[in-house]
Amino acid sequence: MGTLLLKGIQLNGRKADILVEGNRIARIAETLDSTADRVIDGSGKAVIPGLINMHTHSAMTLLRSCYEDQPLKDWLERVWAVEARLDEEAIYWGAKLAILEMLKTGTTCFLDMYWQTPALARAAEEMGIRAFISYNFLDNFDHEKAEKQYRECEEIYAMSRDWPERVQFCVAVHADYTTSEATMLRSGMFAHDHGLVFTAHLAETLSETQEDIVRTGMTPAQHFHRLGLLGPQTVLAHGLWLDDHDVEILGQSHTTIVHNINSNLKLASGYRFKYQELREAGANICMGTDGAASSNNLDIRESMKTMALLQKAWREDPSAMPLDELMDIATVNAARALRIDAGRVEEGTLADLVLVDTRSEAFIPSANFIGNLILSANSSCFDTVIVDGRVVMENRRVPGEEEILERAEAIARKINNV
Amino acid sequence: MGTLLLKGIQLNGRKADILVEGNRIARIAETLDSTADRVIDGSGKAVIPGLINMHTHSAMTLLRSCYEDQPLKDWLERVWAVEARLDEEAIYWGAKLAILEMLKTGTTCFLDMYWQTPALARAAEEMGIRAFISYNFLDNFDHEKAEKQYRECEEIYAMSRDWPERVQFCVAVHADYTTSEATMLRSGMFAHDHGLVFTAHLAETLSETQEDIVRTGMTPAQHFHRLGLLGPQTVLAHGLWLDDHDVEILGQSHTTIVHNINSNLKLASGYRFKYQELREAGANICMGTDGAASSNNLDIRESMKTMALLQKAWREDPSAMPLDELMDIATVNAARALRIDAGRVEEGTLADLVLVDTRSEAFIPSANFIGNLILSANSSCFDTVIVDGRVVMENRRVPGEEEILERAEAIARKINNV
């Protein structure tokens, strides 16, 4: 079991030594007289828990910036046309590009919703990030398709027992307007029976929400509720168009709602995310980036700033969305939903840690580290990333990054010529 | 006259050689066989015109992140209490910290509105940035104060003839609700007579706008109009609360309006900036960051992204705010307002250039460079900054940056202990 010592690093405003044994934090003290296989000098650095991206479609990095400033309908048609060309290899390299970007921006764990589940898992395994890779149900109300998907889901779940513990299988339903109730129920039961995270899109746009009400007589949230699919291990992305009753049922069931502010703004899906209401009702709020085709990057720290700005702006209250809650949203709340011992820098927790270089103009004055990190810095402040006790980025370098850029670029050139 | 050759650099999607002679771009061609005093290898880099920050209070960097998530009234009182402690030395080092940050984030020119004008000019002169430093009128309707300020303005204007051409004097009025009509008129005339840029705050908050209407019978924009203060060399910051008639008169007079999106969101001043209406009416739209106490950083590129996202979101139209117009807002529109030959990379223009390192995940796929630059990258992509033909940042290093961080930190510790 390898040991790693972070020596003299800033933690919650004080200098500390942090000893990592295996994949967990063993000890934290002002000074530790331990020897370790490896020592990292923490001077000029601060440590935070790794950020967690709770909603993305990783391989959509291949579509980044390829079709900008278009009406939603044209944009979607283009995205679908390009996506139809993505084979397993494309998705593998697209996911690697995504993971490279997440590590560079301080993310140590993500929840993915895309196709080619085994290729996604392989990319995550190889790059050392913690990942929750979902099998994605989308049957377009076609019974045969649903059957095929269900068999495939079972097969991949069986395969997933060979994945490292750091890469976990989970279950996704695209959305209730694309997937039959039978499939929603069956996939939800599958997740429940095997103790897996269950994720889906929810009420991303007003039109989809209104159409749902016409089609089912219920809002999307009420639809999930009626099917018994809400709860602490259900992770619903977006949740922008919710009425008071929706907020109540999502809160009472302690469902996780993932806010994807940059994507929501860029696609003009909405910006009045009811953070405070959902939180007060009991829901668990997390942060996501969505895919890079809509948010353009997978930078959770940047999304945290945008969320702070938008909550203050639309509520017309500069005291809305305090910084400490924002940190929880990107760390401890996500760990709670995923049931992992992460999101905090404490003895006994998983060593998913990010080292921040504070020796730059963005961190001066130095009085408010979290304020500077979220509102002033950019994500090049993330210097070193540790996942599961292993250093996966050091001095902003990730092993193999040149090959990833080359391969992803070549594939993107091919697939974007639609 | 020194010469500088940028060799094989990406310009508007093609490789080019760019020869700088003295402070201007002398030649641009696919290949130049010139010798030069200095050659910069452009491989893996793209060149853009330097970004221009059209509204900031530079030395407010000293107040960055020192008082977050507060109601506006408490925040303002705290800011004013700290500002009362700023002496000339504090403002000099605060401005240096601001300029360091602007250079690091690709800004080559800024329009400043603060006190201690000579100290601000000295900071800009020493750091090599292009700057428009205003004398700031704010008389609180006190005739004696106004007289004193007018004499001071004249003295500093006389001194400014010794400033390098790169640092220009200009005239500011804080706002029409803090400054008497007599002072607004007199300072506006002073700017007009000497061919100086004239700048002020305009309609930043709804309450200030409503109070103006009650007090003067006019909106703030109409107030400036009635005093004859609108026009192409008038630069008005914010302009968030405008009625149709305001838009018309600002447009017809080709007045410059500076959007400060991050500050407007964070202080909950408003977010429905009428970009399209103002532009169509004929106004000249530019970008600013406001001071770092409200926007937390002086990163124009980041502000460009926020502006794109917000315009799309509040208009509920993903095709709103196209990328090419966004580049104009941060470059050529600002150069027009300031009457400098900058904002474009063309033969004969001032050599205010920024080199972007494109060898990172944010620029893959590479098909849409501007999309990647604004929406995907963070501002650590800015590698080298050239102002007035001189390299002022290279490989992300600015001479003297350690001393600036140290001095600014020490001063901030002292003044923030209110």
Side-chain angles (χ1 to χ4, degrees), chain A residues 58-113:
Chain A
S58 58
M60 289 185 90
T61 46
L62 298 171
L63 285 75
R64 188 206 317 274
S65 284
C66 290
Y67 203 56
E68 296 296 354
D69 302 323
Q70 302 300 318
L72 192 60
K73 197 173 154 290
D74 299 356
W75 181 83
L76 274 173
E77 279 172 13
R78 165 81 176 204
V79 165
W80 290 333
V82 176
E83 281 189 325
R85 295 177 154 212
L86 296 177
D87 60 12
E88 189 180 347
E89 192 184 3
I91 286 178
Y92 169 75
W93 286 106
K96 283 207 150 183
L97 181 62
I99 295 166
L100 173 61
E101 196 183 333
M102 287 192 269
L103 294 176
K104 290 262 175 131
T105 53
T107 290
T108 53
C109 177
F110 71 110
L111 171 52
D112 205 5
M113 186 199 276

Side-chain angles (χ1 to χ4, degrees), chain A residues 69 302 305 312 366 409, chain B residues 69 302 305 312 366 409:
Chain A
D69 302 323
E302 185 195 271
K305 175 161 186 176
K312 291 171 192 297
S366 68
E409 171 74 6
Chain B
D69 303 322
E302 185 195 271
K305 175 162 186 177
K312 292 172 192 298
S366 67
E409 171 74 5

Side-chain angles (χ1 to χ4, degrees), chain A residues 16-85:
Chain A
D17 287 357
I18 300 176
L19 180 69
V20 175
E21 286 180 1
N23 69 343
R24 290 190 182 255
I25 298 173
R27 288 199 60 203
I28 302 178
E30 210 180 305
T31 316
L32 285 173
D33 283 330
S34 339
T35 52
D37 301 334
R38 182 149 177 218
V39 179
I40 293 181
D41 175 14
S43 53
K45 297 195 175 85
V47 61
I48 60 163
L51 306 178
I52 303 180
N53 187 345
M54 287 292 280
H55 182 68
T56 190
H57 313 288
S58 58
M60 289 185 90
T61 46
L62 298 171
L63 285 75
R64 188 206 317 274
S65 284
C66 290
Y67 203 56
E68 296 296 354
D69 302 323
Q70 302 300 318
L72 192 60
K73 197 173 154 290
D74 299 356
W75 181 83
L76 274 173
E77 279 172 13
R78 165 81 176 204
V79 165
W80 290 333
V82 176
E83 281 189 325
R85 295 177 154 212

Side-chain angles (χ1 to χ4, degrees), chain A residues 375-390:
Chain A
L375 300 173
S376 165
N378 66 50
S379 295
S380 68
C381 69
F382 297 122
D383 176 82
T384 298
V385 175
I386 298 162
V387 181
D388 218 35
R390 201 164 74 81

Side-chain angles (χ1 to χ4, degrees), chain B residues 327-343:
Chain B
M327 271 307 286
D328 285 351
I329 287 170
T331 56
V332 71
N333 293 6
R336 185 186 306 128
L338 300 173
R339 294 203 296 202
I340 51 174
D341 282 338

Side-chain angles (χ1 to χ4, degrees), chain B residues 52-66:
Chain B
I52 303 179
N53 187 345
M54 287 293 280
H55 182 68
T56 190
H57 313 288
S58 58
M60 289 184 90
T61 47
L62 297 171
L63 284 75
R64 188 204 320 272
S65 284
C66 290

